[in-house]
Amino acid sequence: MGQAWGFGRHGGPEVQEFFDRPDPVPGRGEVLIQVDVAGVNPLDHLLRSGLVDGLDGGRAFPRVLGMEAAGTVLRLGEDVNGLEVGDAVFGFALTGGGTYAETTVLSASNTARIPEGLSATVAATLPVAGTTAVDVLDQLGLAAGATVLVNGVGGGVGLAVARLAIGRELRVIGAGSTAKREHAEAIGARFIDYTAEDVAAAARRLVPDGFDGIVDLAGGTALRTVAPLARDPRSVIAVGDMSVPDLGGRFVERRVDRENLERSARLALDGLLAPVITAVHPLSDAPAALATVERGHASGKVVIKVA
């Protein structure tokens, strides 16, 4: 038996609970891992709420929270290639296994070995934030010297996008709340505080001719405010708001396979995708970890140290 933290039904934080469960059995194409570190993401509380239940694998309640983790392979399911028992790995629990737990199953095709020199804590942040940053900047395909606006720069994904963009020699302007300024400026981004000034007006002063690319992580009204700042509407890429085609932009094209995980790990080793980890919680403090992300107060990446 191992401890897990999840939810017994859909709803708000009140449905969350700790519970014991047997080690899950890996199915075809899955691996059972001992979880070392789990990443915390906004998608976690959206799954708990039931807003995106189709991503939760249709498993019975209680369900375990969490989508990404790093740990050690304990057991292989059928038809798993390229991984062995004892491997240190990181990846996605895309089949609804959850990662806020002592053990869990990961989809083997969405799991990669952790390269030597990369910590499990860093690796656990890469499946969501790291690969999203790679995907969105690949999709934009901007040349060195181009200007990009990261709308919602302060969270784990936003800072990963900004850091990788700077590594690609792009000029980065980031918009976020006051609390996010320090981390954004520390990695070399110019910062616009949306709580203190008009984002569109400030952005136009900095880049009068319009942006070569806009990466939006805020959605809604914030997306609609910055979209007209792009020189070409198709250079607006949204990570969360799927209505972006109505504005002429595009939704991010995600690649969550092993190849992209390995690529993200190499970039992290090279320092081009080093995550800004601002909080490490024990599993017993998982409620506080998710609450910080759910309230939008997290600057950088929050992780849960399980092992």
Side-chain angles (χ1 to χ4, degrees), residues 4 11 35 37 41 44 46 55 76 87 89 117 129 133 143 149 159 168 190 207 221 259-260 266 273 307:
V35 179
V37 184
N41 297 283
D44 301 345
L46 294 176
L55 294 177
L76 305 175
D87 283 346
V89 297
L149 174 66
L159 287 171
R168 294 186 179 191
R190 289 288 299 271
V207 188
T221 301
E259 180 180 0
N260 212 26
R266 289 193 299 271
L273 198 57

Side-chain angles (χ1 to χ4, degrees), residues 142-267:
L142 299 177
T147 57
V148 60
L149 174 66
V150 181
N151 194 37
V153 72
V157 177
L159 287 171
V161 171
R163 187 186 288 275
L164 186 57
I166 290 168
R168 294 186 179 191
E169 300 182 9
L170 305 181
R171 181 187 177 198
V172 177
I173 314 296
S177 62
T178 305
K180 312 300 174 65
R181 176 184 292 275
E182 179 182 356
H183 294 300
E185 291 184 339
I187 65 173
R190 289 288 299 271
F191 188 78
I192 299 172
D193 185 344
Y194 71 75
T195 67
E197 56 187 327
D198 179 271
V199 171
R204 287 192 180 97
R205 286 195 299 270
L206 292 170
V207 188
D209 296 332
F211 287 86
D212 299 302
I214 294 176
V215 179
D216 177 77
L217 301 133
T221 301
L223 167 61
R224 282 149 182 77
T225 296
V226 302
L229 301 173
R231 298 173 65 183
D232 179 350
R234 281 185 53 79
S235 67
V236 179
I237 308 293
V239 172
D241 192 331
M242 299 190 72
S243 71
V244 67
D246 297 340
L247 304 173
R250 295 174 289 167
F251 195 72
V252 62
E253 297 172 1
R254 294 289 283 120
R255 295 168 297 167
V256 296
D257 56 16
R258 185 178 297 168
E259 180 180 0
N260 212 26
L261 288 166
E262 291 172 341
R263 183 180 174 199
S264 298
R266 289 193 299 271
L267 289 167

